[in-house]
Structures are given as structure tokens and as C-alpha cells.
Amino acid sequence: MHYLSTRDARPRPERIGFEDALLRGLAPDGGLYVPEALPRFAPDFIRDLRGRSYAEIAVRVMAPFLGDAVAPAEIERIAADSYRGFDHAAVAPLRQLGPDLWLLELFHGPTLAFKDYALQFVARLFDAALARRGQRVTIVGATSGDTGSAAIEACRDSAACDIFMLYPEGRVSEVQRRQMTSVAAANAHAIAIDGSFDDCQDLVKAMFADAPFRAAHNLSAVNSINWARIVAQIVYYFTAAVALGAPDRPVSFAVPTGNFGNVYAAYVARLLGLPIADLVIATNRNDILARFFNDGSMALRPVEPSLSPSMDIQVSSNFERLLFDLLGRDGGALGRAMTGFRARGSLQIGTEELGAARRLFAAHVVSDEETLDEIARAWRGSGVLVDPHTAVALAAARAHMTTRRDAAAPMVALATAHPAKFPAAVEKATHVHPSLPPHLADLMMRPERTIRLPNDLKAVQDFVAAHASPRRGAAA
Ligand SMILES: *Cc1c(COP(=O)(O)O)cnc(C)c1O
């Protein structure tokens, strides 16, 4: 399979292989990599996934995307290794809440959020590719909580990566901070910055923009625009749908959405031939996506804090991949739309494109109050504690039940975080304190290694230079 940049407007766009798309992340023209064409899985292929383990399904679903870059036996080894440490034998189990309402639990990885499902796999792919090339990379990133812990946990003890995650001092939850600072690995560094999340992000951008620094340390990123993360997220849509009767019965999904990576993976699963009836985008009060799908206009507003902080986002980076398809895969038109969006803070699409978008997705906004009501309802009605992100998905799923296209399709809400990761909202709604699973039970007692730096580029660069391993090989 070959990959193109969404912003490549040349008559003959550059085509690259999987490994380059993996290691580059962002295309040099600022676009995102997407497959040139997708295969379509026959119903028999999907039927044959029934009863197989998560790792086996992962190998079968991901193989066409990895192409010649990774040998099938190596994909198998990496998949088995990635999901071995998860604390549920099914890796991504389903839990029934009602006659046709289900939760897909994506919090059984080491850091209790769904980002583990992709990052555990992608970090191992990075290691394998870098080992083959005899290279090392320095991964730098900014985090408001979940990505940082999942990325550090995925890269700890990696032979080819040093990782530096910047987080805003005092603005991540205690569980999130401890998950980053209690990792005793010489190559992993969580840095508290005296500033906001935006300051952290600006520092990371500035490090990438400093060409000599970038080259000296072979900087790389594992943020949510990396195509390999999307590929790894397609897998659980298959495991869930197949368990509920696909390909002989369609299934619907409600996805709590921030950067649009997770719900975009569902869209790709559908293009691959998985019968998905409705795809519901669930957002909190930061509802730019819902406004787009409801009236065709995407207009930026300031980010407002909510009870589901991992979705407090205005510009959903992966949305560009969908827009590329809506605009007929025209890199020139996409580039102009994105430049205009940056300049004016708004983006408008035509009625035809809007019609196409609305055939693909439905969107629902869930307020903080409705989020708390849903947490209480799930606890009272089913004895299940859900985290606030999951509650946003569940509330949107319930709201969508009456208008869904196919009443025979079960509705699956994605549970993207463990309730113990966001205990304050859960306790407020239920008066029950959600406890950490056994593998993290002693988290609050583990020693922390905290590094605190001012919001100053030079200070951060000096720290990275002093702690990154000596460089080997050239930049990807
Ligand atoms: C990252 C995250 C989301 C949003 O996922 P996107 O792929 O960015 O849309 C939702 N819930 C939780 C708990 C997350 O960590």
C-alpha cells in the first residue's frame, strides 16, 4: 500500500511506503498521510475473524496497511507483545447495558485510556523500523494528560527512542501525573512546564522549527496524526462488530471525539467493508464538529474546560483526512480550505459535500450536566461506573437511538477511559470512589521523578540535549 499527503497538489503526488509514513508522521507539506487506495474485505474474510483473539484479528486487519514494510511473522510478534500486558483476556471486551446497548471497554491497557491500544503497537513498530535502519529518535510531545502517560508507557525501555513529554504544571489530574512521573526508565522524561497546555505545545513546535536542533536529536512525534495510530485503532471496531454478528448484522458506534482520530478509524473500518449502520460523533461543550455536521460550517471558538478534558479541543487534526475525501481527494482544494480555515477561523463546505458528510456521520453535543446525569444513570441502571468521556458517548448513543437508521443494529458506545482516571466527576455523580485496577493499585505510593522547567525554549532544549542518547543515523 502506498500513502499520499492530503495537501499534495501535484498532478503526480509523491507516493511513499508505510515505514516512511510511520517515521515521518506529518508530511513535509504540512498534510497528513492517507492510503492511496483501500482494499475491501469480503464478508467471508470478516466472518472468519469470529472467535479469534484480539492479536490475531489485529494481524489480519492491519496486514494490508503495513504492506511489504513489515513481514507477517513480525506483525504477529509485535501484536502479541503489544496486547499481552492488558488486564482483560479479551483486550477490548464488550459489556451489555441494555437490550441493544453495549459498552466497548478500551481501558484495559497499562495507562487506562484507549490511547494504549494504538501507542503500545506503534512504539514497537518504531523500534523495529529504527533497528532495521540503525537509527535512534528523540520523541518530544505536549500532553494534557492521556497521551503523555500512554506514550511514555509505550516507549519505556525502548532501545531506539528517548521520550520527553511536556505537561502543564498543576493542570493534569494526580493519576495522570503519577502515571508519567513514576515510570522508572532512563529514556523517559515527563517535564512539568510552568505554563498552560498551549505553552507546552508552542515549545514543542519551536523545537521542531529549530532545524539544527531537530537534526541533531533526530526529533520525532507520536501524536494523533500518525497514520499508524489510525491503523491500530481500526482493529477494535472489527473485534466488537464481529462479536455482535458482523458481517451478517450491521452495528452502530457512538465515539467520544476530540482530535477525530478514533471516529475516523471507524470510518476507515466501514470503507474496508465492515457493516457500520450509524457512526455517532459525541462531543462535549466544545462542539465545533457537531456544528459542522449540523450546518456545514466549522467556526473556531475558544476552548472551554469541561468534565471530559481529553476532548477539550477546537481544531480536530484528523478531520483533515475526512475533508480530503469530501473534497474528492483533491490536494489543492484541501490545502486552500485549510489555509482559509487558519486565516479566517472558519470553514464552509457546499451543500453537496454537507449531504455526503451527514450520510456518513451523526453528531450529538453532551453538556457537563448531562454527563453527570449519564454517569449516575449507568450506575443506577446497570451498576457500571463510567468515566466522563464514556458518559458523553453513552448519552449521545441514547439520544441517537430514536432516530437511528437501522433498529436491528446494536449500538456500541466506546468507553475510552477507566473511571478511576477521572475520579472526581464519577464521585460527584454517584458518591462512589472508583478504585484503580490491581496493576495500578499502589500508584499513589510509587516514588515520583519530577522535573520542573520554566516556560522557556532554551531551558527545555538544554534539558533534552543533556538527557537524549547520542545520535545515530540520519533523520527520516
Ligand atoms: C484522546 C481521548 C479521546 C478523544 O479521542 P480522539 O481520537 O482524539 O477523537 C476521548 N476520550 C479519551 C479518554 C481520550 O483520552
Side-chain angles (χ1 to χ4, degrees), residues 113-115 146 256-262 310-311 387 389 416-417 422:
F114 89 100
K115 292 183 173 71
D146 288 349
T257 298
N259 254 326
F260 206 75
N262 202 0
S310 300
M311 292 150 56
D387 104 286
H389 303 80
T416 49
F422 299 95

Side-chain angles (χ1 to χ4, degrees), residues 29 33 48-50 122 182 235 291 304 306 316 328 342 348 366 368 388-389 404 409 441 464 471:
D29 58 17
Y33 287 113
D48 182 57
L49 300 174
R50 286 182 188 159
V122 172
S182 66
V235 176
R291 284 184 276 122
E304 289 179 32
S306 78
S316 303
R342 289 278 165 202
Q348 199 85 33
V366 176
D368 273 359
H389 303 80
R404 68 195 154 143
V464 172
R471 167 179 185 258

Side-chain angles (χ1 to χ4, degrees), residues 14 16 19-28 33 214 220 226 476:
E14 183 194 21
I16 64 168
E19 200 169 283
D20 285 324
L22 168 77
L23 295 176
R24 283 189 201 172
L26 196 69
Y33 287 113
R214 179 181 181 160
S220 184
N226 197 300

Side-chain angles (χ1 to χ4, degrees), residues 117-154:
Y117 288 71
L119 283 168
Q120 286 290 322
F121 185 79
V122 172
R124 285 170 175 81
L125 281 180
F126 252 79
D127 252 17
L130 291 167
R132 263 197 302 280
R133 296 181 176 207
Q135 295 176 0
R136 293 191 60 83
V137 292
T138 303
I139 293 171
V140 294
T143 180
S144 54
D146 288 349
T147 304
S149 49
I152 284 181
E153 194 61 45

Side-chain angles (χ1 to χ4, degrees), residues 244-323:
L244 293 171
D248 303 303
R249 178 164 76 149
V251 178
S252 294
F253 290 98
V255 186
T257 298
N259 254 326
F260 206 75
N262 202 0
V263 76
Y264 177 79
Y267 161 80
V268 177
R270 186 198 254 156
L271 292 176
L272 290 169
L274 194 67
I276 298 178
D278 290 84
L279 254 185
V280 182
I281 295 166
T283 78
N284 62 29
R285 66 206 293 180
N286 296 289
D287 62 349
I288 185 167
L289 286 168
R291 284 184 276 122
F292 173 82
F293 283 95
N294 295 325
D295 61 23
S297 140
M298 197 147 99
L300 276 180
R301 289 183 190 161
V303 176
E304 289 179 32
S306 78
L307 291 176
S308 41
S310 300
M311 292 150 56
D312 290 346
I313 285 169
Q314 283 289 323
V315 182
S316 303
S317 39
N318 278 289
F319 183 75
E320 174 163 341
R321 291 191 159 110
L322 175 70
L323 194 60

Side-chain angles (χ1 to χ4, degrees), residues 185-244:
N187 67 329
H189 310 271
I191 304 172
I193 297 291
D194 287 318
S196 66
F197 171 65
D198 288 336
D199 294 329
C200 296
Q201 216 159 14
D202 288 344
L203 287 167
V204 170
K205 281 187 195 151
M207 281 191 270
F208 273 95
D210 179 341
F213 184 80
R214 179 181 181 160
H217 298 288
N218 214 0
L219 291 196
S220 184
V222 288
N223 48 17
S224 81
I225 52 93
N226 197 300
W227 175 259
R229 277 181 68 174
I230 304 283
V231 175
Q233 291 174 176
I234 296 170
V235 176
Y236 44 73
Y237 290 103
F238 275 87
T239 62
V242 161
L244 293 171

